[in-house]
Amino acid sequence: RRELRNFGVKVSIIEPGCFQTSILDSAEGRQSITQAWDRAPDEVKREYGQQYFNTCDNFLRFVATASPKLSLVTKAMEHALTAEHPRTRYGCGLDARFFYIPLSYLPSAWTDRL
């Protein structure tokens, strides 16, 4: 973003949180992950561990609570493209504004723990 400023190019960063989309459909996703885990050889299951499967499953449970309002992202894109003075960053969704963006200001070691 800063490198392009000297050439008169304005760059806005759009940071969407988690939104309900067909690619992250929780019922389909959970079924797909469960089937893949069930078909995986025992060696793979031991290597990854049950905790890996549980983490994926918990993520998909979280996605089920995500916002269905994709218009928040498209409105941010529209504003970034058409505003005379677009913002540098657009956090779309509550999780992006109150969790992910504040985390980006913390040291990496802290965010890794969280």
Side-chain angles (χ1 to χ4, degrees):
R1 185 182 66 77
R2 290 184 185 118
E3 293 166 349
L4 295 175
R5 180 178 52 197
N6 293 332
F7 299 102
V9 178
K10 293 181 181 178
V11 176
S12 293
I13 302 165
I14 299 175
E15 300 175 296
C18 197
F19 287 89
Q20 290 179 3
T21 62
S22 58
I23 198 167
L24 289 177
D25 181 278
S26 62
E28 236 177 78
R30 289 182 71 202
Q31 181 182 4
S32 176
I33 287 176
T34 302
Q35 287 175 350
W37 183 256
D38 290 342
R39 287 191 307 243
D42 290 337
E43 180 181 325
V44 171
K45 289 179 182 179
R46 275 193 307 277
E47 191 69 33
Y48 280 89
Q50 184 66 34
Q51 183 180 357
Y52 176 79
F53 173 76
N54 293 343
T55 300
C56 292
D57 190 49
N58 288 338
F59 173 74
L60 289 174
R61 288 178 197 266
F62 170 73
V63 170
T65 65
S67 174
K69 297 179 184 176
L70 291 173
S71 63
L72 295 173
V73 178
T74 55
K75 284 179 183 179
M77 293 169 78
E78 178 186 17
H79 188 271
L81 290 169
T82 61
E84 185 175 343
H85 300 289
R87 291 185 283 189
T88 301
R89 292 182 181 273
Y90 293 85
C92 306
L94 291 177
D95 54 337
R97 283 191 171 168
F98 297 112
F99 185 70
Y100 296 119
I101 290 177
L103 277 181
S104 70
Y105 294 105
L106 295 175
S108 297
W110 293 13
T111 59
D112 290 347
R113 279 213 181 266
L114 291 173

